[in-house]
Amino acid sequence: MTSGSSSRLRLGVNIDHVATIRNARRAPYPDPLRAALLAAKAGADGVTAHLREDRRHIGDADMEGLIRELPVPLNFEMAATDEMIEIALRIKPHAVCLVPEKREEVTTEGGIDAAGLHNRLAPKVRALADAGIRVSLFIDPDARQIEAAKSLAAPVVELCTGAYCEAVLAEDLGAVAAHLDAAQTSAAAAGRLGLEVHAGHGLTYDNVSAIAAIPEVKELNIGHFLIGEAIFIGLEAAIGRMRALMDAARAGAGA
Ligand code: PXP
Protein backbone atom coordinates (compact mmCIF):
# COMPACT_ATOMS: atom_id res chain seq x y z
CA MET A 1 0.00 0.00 0.00
CA THR A 2 2.77 2.39 -0.88
CA SER A 3 2.72 4.89 -3.71
CA GLY A 4 4.21 3.58 -6.89
CA SER A 5 4.38 4.11 -10.60
CA SER A 6 2.44 0.95 -11.41
CA SER A 7 -1.14 1.48 -12.50
CA ARG A 8 -2.16 -1.90 -11.03
CA LEU A 9 -5.01 -1.26 -8.67
CA ARG A 10 -4.13 -2.42 -5.16
CA LEU A 11 -6.50 -4.41 -2.98
CA GLY A 12 -6.54 -3.92 0.77
CA VAL A 13 -8.52 -6.55 2.64
CA ASN A 14 -10.32 -5.54 5.83
CA ILE A 15 -10.43 -8.46 8.31
CA ASP A 16 -12.58 -6.83 11.03
CA HIS A 17 -15.48 -9.20 10.59
CA VAL A 18 -13.42 -12.30 11.25
CA ALA A 19 -13.08 -10.77 14.71
CA THR A 20 -16.83 -10.04 14.75
CA ILE A 21 -17.53 -13.77 14.37
CA ARG A 22 -14.92 -14.66 16.98
CA ASN A 23 -16.29 -12.17 19.47
CA ALA A 24 -19.88 -13.36 18.96
CA ARG A 25 -18.88 -16.41 21.02
CA ARG A 26 -16.05 -14.80 23.02
CA ALA A 27 -13.92 -17.62 21.61
CA PRO A 28 -10.28 -17.52 20.50
CA TYR A 29 -11.30 -18.39 16.91
CA PRO A 30 -11.64 -17.60 14.05
CA ASP A 31 -8.37 -15.68 14.30
CA PRO A 32 -8.23 -12.43 12.30
CA LEU A 33 -4.44 -12.72 12.06
CA ARG A 34 -4.79 -16.09 10.36
CA ALA A 35 -7.24 -14.50 7.90
CA ALA A 36 -4.83 -11.61 7.31
CA LEU A 37 -1.96 -14.00 6.55
CA LEU A 38 -4.19 -15.97 4.19
CA ALA A 39 -5.33 -12.74 2.51
CA ALA A 40 -1.70 -11.76 1.93
CA LYS A 41 -1.00 -15.20 0.47
CA ALA A 42 -4.03 -14.83 -1.80
CA GLY A 43 -2.71 -11.58 -3.26
CA ALA A 44 -3.98 -8.82 -0.97
CA ASP A 45 -1.61 -5.87 -1.25
CA GLY A 46 -2.38 -4.81 2.29
CA VAL A 47 -4.60 -5.52 5.25
CA THR A 48 -6.89 -3.10 7.07
CA ALA A 49 -8.08 -3.44 10.65
CA HIS A 50 -10.31 -0.97 12.48
CA LEU A 51 -9.65 -0.73 16.20
CA ARG A 52 -12.89 0.77 17.44
CA GLU A 53 -13.25 2.64 20.67
CA ASP A 54 -15.63 -0.08 21.94
CA ARG A 55 -13.37 -2.94 20.63
CA ARG A 56 -16.44 -4.62 19.18
CA HIS A 57 -14.36 -6.60 16.68
CA ILE A 58 -10.60 -6.06 16.43
CA GLY A 59 -8.86 -5.84 19.80
CA ASP A 60 -5.54 -4.42 20.96
CA ALA A 61 -3.85 -7.83 20.90
CA ASP A 62 -5.00 -8.31 17.29
CA MET A 63 -3.26 -5.08 16.29
CA GLU A 64 -0.06 -6.17 18.03
CA GLY A 65 -0.17 -9.55 16.25
CA LEU A 66 -0.79 -7.93 12.87
CA ILE A 67 2.08 -5.51 13.31
CA ARG A 68 4.40 -8.35 14.33
CA GLU A 69 3.52 -10.91 11.70
CA LEU A 70 1.95 -9.37 8.61
CA PRO A 71 4.14 -9.60 5.50
CA VAL A 72 2.17 -6.80 3.79
CA PRO A 73 1.47 -3.21 4.91
CA LEU A 74 -1.04 -2.69 7.72
CA ASN A 75 -3.61 0.06 7.32
CA PHE A 76 -4.81 0.97 10.83
CA GLU A 77 -8.32 2.38 10.56
CA MET A 78 -9.22 4.50 13.58
CA ALA A 79 -11.05 7.49 14.96
CA ALA A 80 -8.93 10.58 15.54
CA THR A 81 -9.03 10.24 19.33
CA ASP A 82 -6.09 10.77 21.65
CA GLU A 83 -6.23 7.10 22.67
CA MET A 84 -5.99 5.84 19.08
CA ILE A 85 -3.28 8.33 18.11
CA GLU A 86 -1.23 7.11 21.08
CA ILE A 87 -1.65 3.46 19.99
CA ALA A 88 -0.75 4.27 16.38
CA LEU A 89 2.35 6.18 17.43
CA ARG A 90 3.40 3.21 19.54
CA ILE A 91 2.81 0.37 17.06
CA LYS A 92 3.70 2.44 13.96
CA PRO A 93 1.62 0.87 11.20
CA HIS A 94 2.44 1.59 7.56
CA ALA A 95 -0.71 3.70 7.28
CA VAL A 96 -3.51 5.17 9.34
CA CYS A 97 -6.94 5.85 7.89
CA LEU A 98 -8.86 8.37 9.97
CA VAL A 99 -12.60 7.75 10.07
CA PRO A 100 -15.52 9.22 12.01
CA GLU A 101 -16.84 6.87 14.67
CA LYS A 102 -20.09 6.76 16.57
CA ARG A 103 -20.68 4.12 19.22
CA GLU A 104 -24.22 3.41 18.06
CA GLU A 105 -23.43 2.96 14.36
CA VAL A 106 -23.42 -0.50 12.77
CA THR A 107 -20.59 0.49 10.44
CA THR A 108 -18.77 3.67 9.45
CA GLU A 109 -21.58 5.78 8.09
CA GLY A 110 -19.72 8.17 5.83
CA GLY A 111 -16.58 10.21 5.61
CA ILE A 112 -14.92 12.31 8.26
CA ASP A 113 -15.72 16.03 8.14
CA ALA A 114 -12.16 17.07 7.29
CA ALA A 115 -13.33 20.62 6.51
CA GLY A 116 -15.36 21.15 9.70
CA LEU A 117 -12.80 19.42 11.95
CA HIS A 118 -9.78 20.96 10.26
CA ASN A 119 -8.22 22.55 13.34
CA ARG A 120 -8.80 19.49 15.51
CA LEU A 121 -7.37 17.13 12.91
CA ALA A 122 -4.33 19.20 11.97
CA PRO A 123 -2.10 18.34 14.98
CA LYS A 124 -3.13 14.68 14.78
CA VAL A 125 -2.32 14.34 11.10
CA ARG A 126 0.99 16.09 11.76
CA ALA A 127 1.90 13.82 14.69
CA LEU A 128 1.21 10.69 12.63
CA ALA A 129 3.11 12.03 9.62
CA ASP A 130 6.06 13.05 11.79
CA ALA A 131 6.22 9.42 12.98
CA GLY A 132 6.51 8.27 9.36
CA ILE A 133 2.94 6.95 9.17
CA ARG A 134 1.09 7.58 5.92
CA VAL A 135 -2.17 9.32 6.74
CA SER A 136 -5.33 8.73 4.78
CA LEU A 137 -8.58 10.60 5.40
CA PHE A 138 -11.80 8.70 4.72
CA ILE A 139 -14.01 11.36 3.17
CA ASP A 140 -17.19 11.64 1.17
CA PRO A 141 -16.59 12.39 -2.51
CA ASP A 142 -16.96 16.13 -2.12
CA ALA A 143 -14.75 19.02 -3.35
CA ARG A 144 -14.74 20.78 0.02
CA GLN A 145 -13.48 17.68 1.82
CA ILE A 146 -10.78 17.08 -0.78
CA GLU A 147 -9.50 20.63 -0.41
CA ALA A 148 -9.51 20.22 3.37
CA ALA A 149 -7.50 16.99 3.07
CA LYS A 150 -4.98 18.81 0.92
CA SER A 151 -4.70 21.70 3.34
CA LEU A 152 -4.22 19.19 6.19
CA ALA A 153 -1.28 17.76 4.19
CA ALA A 154 -2.73 14.25 4.29
CA PRO A 155 -1.10 12.43 1.36
CA VAL A 156 -4.05 10.09 0.77
CA VAL A 157 -7.83 10.35 0.63
CA GLU A 158 -10.09 7.31 0.69
CA LEU A 159 -13.37 8.13 -1.02
CA CYS A 160 -16.41 6.62 0.67
CA THR A 161 -18.31 4.47 -1.82
CA GLY A 162 -21.08 3.59 0.65
CA ALA A 163 -23.78 5.79 -0.90
CA TYR A 164 -22.90 4.56 -4.40
CA CYS A 165 -23.14 0.93 -3.30
CA GLU A 166 -26.47 1.53 -1.57
CA ALA A 167 -27.86 3.12 -4.73
CA VAL A 168 -26.75 0.05 -6.73
CA LEU A 169 -28.48 -2.23 -4.20
CA ALA A 170 -31.66 -0.14 -4.41
CA GLU A 171 -31.46 -0.23 -8.23
CA ASP A 172 -31.91 3.54 -8.21
CA LEU A 173 -30.28 4.32 -11.53
CA GLY A 174 -30.43 8.09 -11.11
CA ALA A 175 -28.68 7.90 -7.75
CA VAL A 176 -26.17 5.38 -9.11
CA ALA A 177 -25.20 7.80 -11.88
CA ALA A 178 -25.00 10.77 -9.50
CA HIS A 179 -22.85 8.94 -6.93
CA LEU A 180 -20.57 7.52 -9.61
CA ASP A 181 -20.15 10.97 -11.13
CA ALA A 182 -19.26 12.35 -7.68
CA ALA A 183 -16.67 9.60 -7.20
CA GLN A 184 -15.13 10.20 -10.64
CA THR A 185 -15.10 13.99 -10.30
CA SER A 186 -13.66 13.81 -6.78
CA ALA A 187 -10.99 11.30 -7.75
CA ALA A 188 -9.92 13.55 -10.63
CA ALA A 189 -9.86 16.64 -8.38
CA ALA A 190 -7.85 14.84 -5.70
CA GLY A 191 -5.45 13.55 -8.34
CA ARG A 192 -4.92 17.08 -9.67
CA LEU A 193 -4.03 18.20 -6.14
CA GLY A 194 -1.42 15.44 -5.93
CA LEU A 195 -3.36 13.33 -3.43
CA GLU A 196 -3.28 9.54 -3.72
CA VAL A 197 -6.83 8.28 -4.11
CA HIS A 198 -8.25 5.17 -2.48
CA ALA A 199 -11.87 4.06 -2.30
CA GLY A 200 -13.97 1.69 -0.29
CA HIS A 201 -17.06 0.77 1.71
CA GLY A 202 -19.78 -1.60 0.57
CA LEU A 203 -17.92 -2.93 -2.47
CA THR A 204 -18.97 -6.34 -3.83
CA TYR A 205 -18.47 -8.34 -7.03
CA ASP A 206 -21.58 -6.56 -8.39
CA ASN A 207 -20.54 -2.95 -7.87
CA VAL A 208 -16.74 -2.97 -7.87
CA SER A 209 -16.10 -2.56 -11.60
CA ALA A 210 -17.20 1.06 -12.09
CA ILE A 211 -15.15 2.17 -9.08
CA ALA A 212 -12.14 0.09 -10.12
CA ALA A 213 -12.26 1.71 -13.55
CA ILE A 214 -11.69 5.23 -12.17
CA PRO A 215 -8.11 5.85 -13.29
CA GLU A 216 -7.02 7.99 -10.32
CA VAL A 217 -8.05 5.32 -7.81
CA LYS A 218 -4.95 3.42 -6.70
CA GLU A 219 -6.36 1.18 -3.98
CA LEU A 220 -9.66 -0.37 -2.95
CA ASN A 221 -10.31 -1.43 0.63
CA ILE A 222 -12.87 -4.21 0.92
CA GLY A 223 -13.99 -6.18 3.96
CA HIS A 224 -17.51 -7.23 4.78
CA PHE A 225 -18.39 -8.75 1.42
CA LEU A 226 -15.12 -10.70 1.13
CA ILE A 227 -15.40 -12.17 4.62
CA GLY A 228 -19.02 -13.14 3.95
CA GLU A 229 -18.18 -14.66 0.58
CA ALA A 230 -15.37 -16.62 2.21
CA ILE A 231 -18.04 -18.65 4.04
CA PHE A 232 -19.14 -20.04 0.69
CA ILE A 233 -16.02 -20.25 -1.45
CA GLY A 234 -13.10 -19.60 0.91
CA LEU A 235 -11.14 -16.42 1.47
CA GLU A 236 -8.46 -17.09 -1.13
CA ALA A 237 -11.03 -17.73 -3.88
CA ALA A 238 -13.09 -14.68 -2.87
CA ILE A 239 -10.02 -12.45 -3.01
CA GLY A 240 -8.97 -14.03 -6.31
CA ARG A 241 -12.34 -13.33 -7.89
CA MET A 242 -12.41 -9.74 -6.61
CA ARG A 243 -8.85 -9.23 -7.86
CA ALA A 244 -9.84 -10.54 -11.32
CA LEU A 245 -12.85 -8.20 -11.49
CA MET A 246 -10.69 -5.24 -10.47
CA ASP A 247 -8.03 -6.09 -13.05
CA ALA A 248 -10.62 -6.58 -15.79
CA ALA A 249 -12.25 -3.22 -14.99
CA ARG A 250 -8.87 -1.54 -15.04
CA ALA A 251 -7.89 -3.15 -18.35
CA GLY A 252 -11.23 -2.07 -19.84
CA ALA A 253 -10.58 1.48 -18.69
CA GLY A 254 -7.26 1.42 -20.53
CA ALA A 255 -5.15 1.78 -17.40
N1 PXP B 1 -12.77 1.73 4.13
C1 PXP B 1 -13.18 2.26 5.31
C2 PXP B 1 -12.60 3.56 5.72
C3 PXP B 1 -14.11 1.59 6.11
O1 PXP B 1 -14.53 2.15 7.26
C4 PXP B 1 -14.57 0.33 5.73
C5 PXP B 1 -15.49 -0.42 6.63
O2 PXP B 1 -14.80 -0.81 7.78
C6 PXP B 1 -14.11 -0.18 4.51
C7 PXP B 1 -13.24 0.54 3.72
C8 PXP B 1 -14.55 -1.51 4.03
O3 PXP B 1 -15.93 -1.53 3.88
P1 PXP B 1 -16.67 -2.90 3.69
O4 PXP B 1 -16.44 -3.70 4.92
O5 PXP B 1 -18.08 -2.51 3.49
O6 PXP B 1 -16.06 -3.56 2.48
PDB file of all heavy atoms in Angstrom, residues 221-245:
ATOM      1  N   ASN A 221     -10.308  -0.727  -0.649  1.00  0.00           N
ATOM      2  CA  ASN A 221     -10.314  -1.431   0.632  1.00  0.00           C
ATOM      3  C   ASN A 221     -11.674  -2.096   0.810  1.00  0.00           C
ATOM      4  O   ASN A 221     -12.707  -1.421   0.803  1.00  0.00           O
ATOM      5  CB  ASN A 221      -9.997  -0.466   1.775  1.00  0.00           C
ATOM      6  CG  ASN A 221      -8.527  -0.106   1.758  1.00  0.00           C
ATOM      7  OD1 ASN A 221      -7.671  -0.998   1.762  1.00  0.00           O
ATOM      8  ND2 ASN A 221      -8.213   1.171   1.675  1.00  0.00           N
ATOM      9  N   ILE A 222     -11.628  -3.422   0.939  1.00  0.00           N
ATOM     10  CA  ILE A 222     -12.870  -4.209   0.925  1.00  0.00           C
ATOM     11  C   ILE A 222     -12.843  -5.212   2.070  1.00  0.00           C
ATOM     12  O   ILE A 222     -11.836  -5.913   2.266  1.00  0.00           O
ATOM     13  CB  ILE A 222     -13.037  -4.945  -0.432  1.00  0.00           C
ATOM     14  CG1 ILE A 222     -12.868  -3.963  -1.600  1.00  0.00           C
ATOM     15  CG2 ILE A 222     -14.395  -5.644  -0.488  1.00  0.00           C
ATOM     16  CD1 ILE A 222     -13.029  -4.584  -2.986  1.00  0.00           C
ATOM     17  N   GLY A 223     -13.951  -5.278   2.817  1.00  0.00           N
ATOM     18  CA  GLY A 223     -13.989  -6.183   3.959  1.00  0.00           C
ATOM     19  C   GLY A 223     -15.211  -7.060   4.034  1.00  0.00           C
ATOM     20  O   GLY A 223     -15.166  -8.250   3.729  1.00  0.00           O
ATOM     21  N   HIS A 224     -16.323  -6.464   4.401  1.00  0.00           N
ATOM     22  CA  HIS A 224     -17.512  -7.232   4.784  1.00  0.00           C
ATOM     23  C   HIS A 224     -17.917  -8.250   3.723  1.00  0.00           C
ATOM     24  O   HIS A 224     -18.168  -9.425   4.025  1.00  0.00           O
ATOM     25  CB  HIS A 224     -18.665  -6.251   5.077  1.00  0.00           C
ATOM     26  CG  HIS A 224     -19.911  -6.911   5.536  1.00  0.00           C
ATOM     27  ND1 HIS A 224     -21.031  -7.022   4.744  1.00  0.00           N
ATOM     28  CD2 HIS A 224     -20.222  -7.526   6.701  1.00  0.00           C
ATOM     29  CE1 HIS A 224     -21.978  -7.654   5.400  1.00  0.00           C
ATOM     30  NE2 HIS A 224     -21.512  -7.966   6.590  1.00  0.00           N
ATOM     31  N   PHE A 225     -17.958  -7.819   2.475  1.00  0.00           N
ATOM     32  CA  PHE A 225     -18.388  -8.748   1.419  1.00  0.00           C
ATOM     33  C   PHE A 225     -17.422  -9.921   1.291  1.00  0.00           C
ATOM     34  O   PHE A 225     -17.839 -11.079   1.166  1.00  0.00           O
ATOM     35  CB  PHE A 225     -18.522  -8.023   0.071  1.00  0.00           C
ATOM     36  CG  PHE A 225     -18.865  -8.965  -1.041  1.00  0.00           C
ATOM     37  CD1 PHE A 225     -20.167  -9.404  -1.217  1.00  0.00           C
ATOM     38  CD2 PHE A 225     -17.875  -9.474  -1.873  1.00  0.00           C
ATOM     39  CE1 PHE A 225     -20.483 -10.326  -2.221  1.00  0.00           C
ATOM     40  CE2 PHE A 225     -18.175 -10.386  -2.867  1.00  0.00           C
ATOM     41  CZ  PHE A 225     -19.483 -10.811  -3.046  1.00  0.00           C
ATOM     42  N   LEU A 226     -16.121  -9.635   1.320  1.00  0.00           N
ATOM     43  CA  LEU A 226     -15.122 -10.705   1.127  1.00  0.00           C
ATOM     44  C   LEU A 226     -15.174 -11.724   2.261  1.00  0.00           C
ATOM     45  O   LEU A 226     -15.067 -12.930   2.029  1.00  0.00           O
ATOM     46  CB  LEU A 226     -13.710 -10.112   1.032  1.00  0.00           C
ATOM     47  CG  LEU A 226     -13.367  -9.398  -0.275  1.00  0.00           C
ATOM     48  CD1 LEU A 226     -11.988  -8.759  -0.183  1.00  0.00           C
ATOM     49  CD2 LEU A 226     -13.429 -10.363  -1.461  1.00  0.00           C
ATOM     50  N   ILE A 227     -15.350 -11.237   3.484  1.00  0.00           N
ATOM     51  CA  ILE A 227     -15.398 -12.166   4.621  1.00  0.00           C
ATOM     52  C   ILE A 227     -16.680 -13.003   4.539  1.00  0.00           C
ATOM     53  O   ILE A 227     -16.679 -14.214   4.809  1.00  0.00           O
ATOM     54  CB  ILE A 227     -15.300 -11.398   5.968  1.00  0.00           C
ATOM     55  CG1 ILE A 227     -14.002 -10.561   6.033  1.00  0.00           C
ATOM     56  CG2 ILE A 227     -15.401 -12.353   7.158  1.00  0.00           C
ATOM     57  CD1 ILE A 227     -12.700 -11.310   5.798  1.00  0.00           C
ATOM     58  N   GLY A 228     -17.766 -12.391   4.128  1.00  0.00           N
ATOM     59  CA  GLY A 228     -19.020 -13.137   3.949  1.00  0.00           C
ATOM     60  C   GLY A 228     -18.899 -14.165   2.832  1.00  0.00           C
ATOM     61  O   GLY A 228     -19.301 -15.327   2.984  1.00  0.00           O
ATOM     62  N   GLU A 229     -18.330 -13.764   1.730  1.00  0.00           N
ATOM     63  CA  GLU A 229     -18.181 -14.664   0.578  1.00  0.00           C
ATOM     64  C   GLU A 229     -17.251 -15.832   0.923  1.00  0.00           C
ATOM     65  O   GLU A 229     -17.417 -16.941   0.403  1.00  0.00           O
ATOM     66  CB  GLU A 229     -17.637 -13.843  -0.602  1.00  0.00           C
ATOM     67  CG  GLU A 229     -17.550 -14.566  -1.914  1.00  0.00           C
ATOM     68  CD  GLU A 229     -18.902 -14.945  -2.521  1.00  0.00           C
ATOM     69  OE1 GLU A 229     -19.952 -14.617  -1.923  1.00  0.00           O
ATOM     70  OE2 GLU A 229     -18.891 -15.592  -3.579  1.00  0.00           O
ATOM     71  N   ALA A 230     -16.306 -15.567   1.811  1.00  0.00           N
ATOM     72  CA  ALA A 230     -15.368 -16.624   2.212  1.00  0.00           C
ATOM     73  C   ALA A 230     -16.103 -17.812   2.850  1.00  0.00           C
ATOM     74  O   ALA A 230     -15.634 -18.948   2.776  1.00  0.00           O
ATOM     75  CB  ALA A 230     -14.329 -16.060   3.177  1.00  0.00           C
ATOM     76  N   ILE A 231     -17.255 -17.555   3.445  1.00  0.00           N
ATOM     77  CA  ILE A 231     -18.040 -18.651   4.041  1.00  0.00           C
ATOM     78  C   ILE A 231     -18.402 -19.665   2.954  1.00  0.00           C
ATOM     79  O   ILE A 231     -18.424 -20.866   3.183  1.00  0.00           O
ATOM     80  CB  ILE A 231     -19.332 -18.095   4.689  1.00  0.00           C
ATOM     81  CG1 ILE A 231     -18.979 -17.204   5.879  1.00  0.00           C
ATOM     82  CG2 ILE A 231     -20.267 -19.228   5.102  1.00  0.00           C
ATOM     83  CD1 ILE A 231     -20.150 -16.385   6.397  1.00  0.00           C
ATOM     84  N   PHE A 232     -18.651 -19.160   1.757  1.00  0.00           N
ATOM     85  CA  PHE A 232     -19.143 -20.039   0.690  1.00  0.00           C
ATOM     86  C   PHE A 232     -18.028 -20.591  -0.192  1.00  0.00           C
ATOM     87  O   PHE A 232     -18.071 -21.749  -0.593  1.00  0.00           O
ATOM     88  CB  PHE A 232     -20.167 -19.281  -0.167  1.00  0.00           C
ATOM     89  CG  PHE A 232     -21.308 -18.754   0.655  1.00  0.00           C
ATOM     90  CD1 PHE A 232     -21.394 -17.406   0.973  1.00  0.00           C
ATOM     91  CD2 PHE A 232     -22.271 -19.619   1.159  1.00  0.00           C
ATOM     92  CE1 PHE A 232     -22.426 -16.924   1.762  1.00  0.00           C
ATOM     93  CE2 PHE A 232     -23.312 -19.138   1.942  1.00  0.00           C
ATOM     94  CZ  PHE A 232     -23.388 -17.801   2.254  1.00  0.00           C
ATOM     95  N   ILE A 233     -17.040 -19.766  -0.508  1.00  0.00           N
ATOM     96  CA  ILE A 233     -16.019 -20.254  -1.452  1.00  0.00           C
ATOM     97  C   ILE A 233     -14.596 -20.189  -0.888  1.00  0.00           C
ATOM     98  O   ILE A 233     -13.656 -20.559  -1.581  1.00  0.00           O
ATOM     99  CB  ILE A 233     -16.092 -19.506  -2.809  1.00  0.00           C
ATOM    100  CG1 ILE A 233     -15.719 -18.018  -2.666  1.00  0.00           C
ATOM    101  CG2 ILE A 233     -17.468 -19.652  -3.456  1.00  0.00           C
ATOM    102  CD1 ILE A 233     -15.500 -17.324  -4.010  1.00  0.00           C
ATOM    103  N   GLY A 234     -14.444 -19.722   0.324  1.00  0.00           N
ATOM    104  CA  GLY A 234     -13.104 -19.597   0.909  1.00  0.00           C
ATOM    105  C   GLY A 234     -12.528 -18.220   0.645  1.00  0.00           C
ATOM    106  O   GLY A 234     -12.852 -17.579  -0.355  1.00  0.00           O
ATOM    107  N   LEU A 235     -11.669 -17.786   1.561  1.00  0.00           N
ATOM    108  CA  LEU A 235     -11.139 -16.416   1.468  1.00  0.00           C
ATOM    109  C   LEU A 235     -10.224 -16.236   0.261  1.00  0.00           C
ATOM    110  O   LEU A 235     -10.281 -15.221  -0.437  1.00  0.00           O
ATOM    111  CB  LEU A 235     -10.387 -16.076   2.765  1.00  0.00           C
ATOM    112  CG  LEU A 235      -9.920 -14.629   2.913  1.00  0.00           C
ATOM    113  CD1 LEU A 235     -11.085 -13.641   2.800  1.00  0.00           C
ATOM    114  CD2 LEU A 235      -9.193 -14.429   4.241  1.00  0.00           C
ATOM    115  N   GLU A 236      -9.388 -17.244  -0.006  1.00  0.00           N
ATOM    116  CA  GLU A 236      -8.461 -17.090  -1.135  1.00  0.00           C
ATOM    117  C   GLU A 236      -9.230 -16.961  -2.451  1.00  0.00           C
ATOM    118  O   GLU A 236      -8.904 -16.117  -3.288  1.00  0.00           O
ATOM    119  CB  GLU A 236      -7.502 -18.274  -1.197  1.00  0.00           C
ATOM    120  CG  GLU A 236      -6.481 -18.250  -0.078  1.00  0.00           C
ATOM    121  CD  GLU A 236      -5.532 -19.434  -0.143  1.00  0.00           C
ATOM    122  OE1 GLU A 236      -5.893 -20.496   0.398  1.00  0.00           O
ATOM    123  OE2 GLU A 236      -4.448 -19.286  -0.731  1.00  0.00           O
ATOM    124  N   ALA A 237     -10.249 -17.779  -2.629  1.00  0.00           N
ATOM    125  CA  ALA A 237     -11.029 -17.728  -3.877  1.00  0.00           C
ATOM    126  C   ALA A 237     -11.796 -16.412  -3.972  1.00  0.00           C
ATOM    127  O   ALA A 237     -11.899 -15.812  -5.057  1.00  0.00           O
ATOM    128  CB  ALA A 237     -11.993 -18.916  -3.935  1.00  0.00           C
ATOM    129  N   ALA A 238     -12.332 -15.945  -2.849  1.00  0.00           N
ATOM    130  CA  ALA A 238     -13.093 -14.675  -2.869  1.00  0.00           C
ATOM    131  C   ALA A 238     -12.172 -13.515  -3.252  1.00  0.00           C
ATOM    132  O   ALA A 238     -12.531 -12.657  -4.072  1.00  0.00           O
ATOM    133  CB  ALA A 238     -13.729 -14.437  -1.504  1.00  0.00           C
ATOM    134  N   ILE A 239     -10.982 -13.516  -2.680  1.00  0.00           N
ATOM    135  CA  ILE A 239     -10.015 -12.454  -3.012  1.00  0.00           C
ATOM    136  C   ILE A 239      -9.585 -12.582  -4.477  1.00  0.00           C
ATOM    137  O   ILE A 239      -9.489 -11.585  -5.202  1.00  0.00           O
ATOM    138  CB  ILE A 239      -8.796 -12.520  -2.050  1.00  0.00           C
ATOM    139  CG1 ILE A 239      -9.238 -12.073  -0.653  1.00  0.00           C
ATOM    140  CG2 ILE A 239      -7.630 -11.669  -2.561  1.00  0.00           C
ATOM    141  CD1 ILE A 239      -8.201 -12.275   0.438  1.00  0.00           C
ATOM    142  N   GLY A 240      -9.372 -13.805  -4.914  1.00  0.00           N
ATOM    143  CA  GLY A 240      -8.966 -14.032  -6.311  1.00  0.00           C
ATOM    144  C   GLY A 240     -10.014 -13.520  -7.286  1.00  0.00           C
ATOM    145  O   GLY A 240      -9.687 -12.882  -8.297  1.00  0.00           O
ATOM    146  N   ARG A 241     -11.271 -13.769  -6.973  1.00  0.00           N
ATOM    147  CA  ARG A 241     -12.338 -13.333  -7.890  1.00  0.00           C
ATOM    148  C   ARG A 241     -12.449 -11.807  -7.882  1.00  0.00           C
ATOM    149  O   ARG A 241     -12.618 -11.168  -8.923  1.00  0.00           O
ATOM    150  CB  ARG A 241     -13.651 -14.005  -7.482  1.00  0.00           C
ATOM    151  CG  ARG A 241     -14.832 -13.545  -8.245  1.00  0.00           C
ATOM    152  CD  ARG A 241     -15.747 -14.664  -8.741  1.00  0.00           C
ATOM    153  NE  ARG A 241     -16.731 -14.090  -9.647  1.00  0.00           N
ATOM    154  CZ  ARG A 241     -18.027 -14.099  -9.446  1.00  0.00           C
ATOM    155  NH1 ARG A 241     -18.528 -14.704  -8.382  1.00  0.00           N
ATOM    156  NH2 ARG A 241     -18.838 -13.530 -10.303  1.00  0.00           N
ATOM    157  N   MET A 242     -12.353 -11.208  -6.700  1.00  0.00           N
ATOM    158  CA  MET A 242     -12.410  -9.737  -6.609  1.00  0.00           C
ATOM    159  C   MET A 242     -11.241  -9.126  -7.376  1.00  0.00           C
ATOM    160  O   MET A 242     -11.406  -8.173  -8.136  1.00  0.00           O
ATOM    161  CB  MET A 242     -12.378  -9.316  -5.145  1.00  0.00           C
ATOM    162  CG  MET A 242     -12.619  -7.855  -4.906  1.00  0.00           C
ATOM    163  SD  MET A 242     -14.253  -7.279  -5.485  1.00  0.00           S
ATOM    164  CE  MET A 242     -15.288  -7.757  -4.090  1.00  0.00           C
ATOM    165  N   ARG A 243     -10.069  -9.692  -7.179  1.00  0.00           N
ATOM    166  CA  ARG A 243      -8.854  -9.231  -7.864  1.00  0.00           C
ATOM    167  C   ARG A 243      -9.060  -9.280  -9.381  1.00  0.00           C
ATOM    168  O   ARG A 243      -8.727  -8.335 -10.101  1.00  0.00           O
ATOM    169  CB  ARG A 243      -7.729 -10.165  -7.412  1.00  0.00           C
ATOM    170  CG  ARG A 243      -6.388 -10.081  -7.954  1.00  0.00           C
ATOM    171  CD  ARG A 243      -5.524  -9.060  -7.285  1.00  0.00           C
ATOM    172  NE  ARG A 243      -5.579  -7.878  -8.104  1.00  0.00           N
ATOM    173  CZ  ARG A 243      -5.255  -6.651  -7.719  1.00  0.00           C
ATOM    174  NH1 ARG A 243      -4.862  -6.445  -6.485  1.00  0.00           N
ATOM    175  NH2 ARG A 243      -5.325  -5.645  -8.525  1.00  0.00           N
ATOM    176  N   ALA A 244      -9.634 -10.381  -9.872  1.00  0.00           N
ATOM    177  CA  ALA A 244      -9.842 -10.544 -11.318  1.00  0.00           C
ATOM    178  C   ALA A 244     -10.824  -9.495 -11.833  1.00  0.00           C
ATOM    179  O   ALA A 244     -10.619  -8.908 -12.911  1.00  0.00           O
ATOM    180  CB  ALA A 244     -10.354 -11.953 -11.610  1.00  0.00           C
ATOM    181  N   LEU A 245     -11.876  -9.220 -11.072  1.00  0.00           N
ATOM    182  CA  LEU A 245     -12.853  -8.196 -11.492  1.00  0.00           C
ATOM    183  C   LEU A 245     -12.202  -6.813 -11.516  1.00  0.00           C
ATOM    184  O   LEU A 245     -12.443  -6.010 -12.428  1.00  0.00           O
ATOM    185  CB  LEU A 245     -14.055  -8.195 -10.545  1.00  0.00           C
ATOM    186  CG  LEU A 245     -14.993  -9.395 -10.680  1.00  0.00           C
ATOM    187  CD1 LEU A 245     -15.941  -9.472  -9.480  1.00  0.00           C
ATOM    188  CD2 LEU A 245     -15.795  -9.312 -11.980  1.00  0.00           C
TER     189      LEU A 245
END
